[in-house]
Amino acid sequence: MSAVSGQFDTWFRRYEPVSPGAVKLLALPHAGGSAPYFLPLARALAPGLDVLCVQYPGRLDRHREPALTDLRELAERVYRALVAAPAGPVVLFGHSMGAVLAYEIARRLESSGGGELLGVIASGRRAPHRFREETVHLRDDDGIVAEIRELSGTDPGVLDDEELLRMVLPALRADYRAVETYRETPGVSPLSAPVTVLTGESDSRVSLDDARAWEELTSGTFRFRSFPGGHFYLNGRPGEVTAAIRESVEAFRSAAAPTSS
């Protein structure tokens, strides 16, 4: 991994060497997730894309830091670290909770003009304005573990290891609180950046209609792709998902390229 010092080194993990001038793909994990979740994706997309995997506080090498329970605060901190990094075009890619973070970071980038945002890829999450009451963060530990088991996105070995569970449960609960208490600000202008949505066709948490509703949040081009599978459809179809991400980034780049007169 190579990285510059400071905020960049704290928040982002670059696992593979990249080509000069490569577009940054900021990869934002799901609730309870960490940067290494996207390691296979980073390897598959390198060196053409510079995959920067976000490491949230409260896990792995940042386990001594308290996990954040406010999604907007988390988005603000990632945004500040991103704009402090070397400049260049960026695509935001987030799965589940990470998709909502991508949306909030995109809003900050567009309102401030602080970065060259090419587009947003939202995976496994209903559109932020499609509210649904959820209270997983209020459950006891067994209730949270039951939710994670049902989603089938975590190694069962972690869930069966009491010591590991004690380490990951605080961050899990904090993430669920952050995303479940988030409310999209009503009446805001749509993003101007194009948006691609990727989702699992049998995701019990995200209907196809709620996933397509992301189209209402952009005035730019909207692309939609569904895959066989549930909430963590991307685990079982890495090649197809990688291809879909690469195609979206190329479409974003083409749309942003200046036209000759």
Side-chain angles (χ1 to χ4, degrees):
M1 180 187 72
S2 62
V4 298
S5 60
Q7 284 187 312
F8 188 99
D9 216 8
T10 300
W11 285 93
F12 307 132
R13 306 291 179 267
R14 178 186 284 126
Y15 294 112
E16 295 292 326
V18 296
S19 301
V23 170
K24 293 183 182 68
L25 181 80
L26 192 71
L28 297 139
H30 53 281
S34 56
Y37 176 76
F38 290 122
L39 178 56
L41 182 69
R43 287 174 173 165
L45 292 173
L49 287 177
D50 182 8
V51 182
L52 301 178
C53 306
V54 177
Q55 187 74 296
Y56 304 140
R59 61 218 75 198
L60 298 182
D61 57 324
R62 302 188 70 185
H63 72 278
R64 295 185 183 278
E65 302 174 54
L68 298 176
T69 58
D70 184 286
L71 189 135
R72 282 189 170 83
E73 181 182 356
L74 182 54
E76 179 69 19
R77 294 199 189 183
V78 177
Y79 159 75
R80 289 178 184 174
L82 180 62
V83 296
V90 63
V91 172
L92 305 177
F93 168 66
H95 179 67
S96 196
M97 180 185 79
V100 187
L101 280 168
Y103 172 72
E104 282 291 324
I105 294 167
R107 297 206 64 83
R108 286 160 172 75
L109 287 171
E110 290 198 344
S111 64
S112 69
E116 187 182 346
L117 177 63
L118 293 183
V120 176
I121 304 175
S123 168
R125 183 70 187 181
R126 65 183 181 273
H129 63 302
R130 290 290 183 100
F131 172 72
R132 186 170 71 225
E133 188 72 41
E134 293 175 315
T135 56
V136 173
H137 71 284
L138 298 178
R139 298 181 186 177
D140 61 15
D141 290 351
D142 288 344
I144 292 181
V145 172
E147 170 75 6
I148 300 305
R149 287 189 188 278
E150 185 176 347
L151 294 178
S152 302
T154 302
D155 183 348
V158 173
L159 300 179
D160 294 333
D161 187 312
E162 186 175 345
E163 185 175 353
L164 281 175
L165 264 182
R166 284 200 302 269
M167 292 176 62
V168 303
L169 274 170
L172 265 171
R173 187 181 297 280
D175 287 354
Y176 269 100
R177 180 178 176 184
V179 73
E180 290 180 343
T181 59
Y182 167 83
R183 303 290 183 270
E184 200 262 347
T185 304
V188 296
S189 300
L191 297 172
S192 60
V195 172
T196 291
V197 167
L198 310 177
T199 194
E201 293 169 0
S202 56
D203 189 339
S204 61
R205 301 298 188 271
V206 185
S207 71
L208 295 180
D209 181 62
D210 281 346
R212 287 184 182 276
W214 280 89
E215 185 172 11
E216 299 165 18
L217 300 180
T218 178
S219 61
T221 303
F222 179 77
R223 296 158 64 93
F224 180 88
R225 176 84 182 273
S226 63
F227 300 85
H231 191 65
F232 283 94
Y233 70 92
L234 62 177
N235 291 354
R237 316 192 78 84
E240 294 173 57
V241 172
T242 299
I245 292 172
R246 188 179 286 113
E247 290 167 9
S248 284
V249 173
E250 286 305 310
F252 295 162
R253 292 182 68 180
S254 296
T259 57
S260 57
S261 55

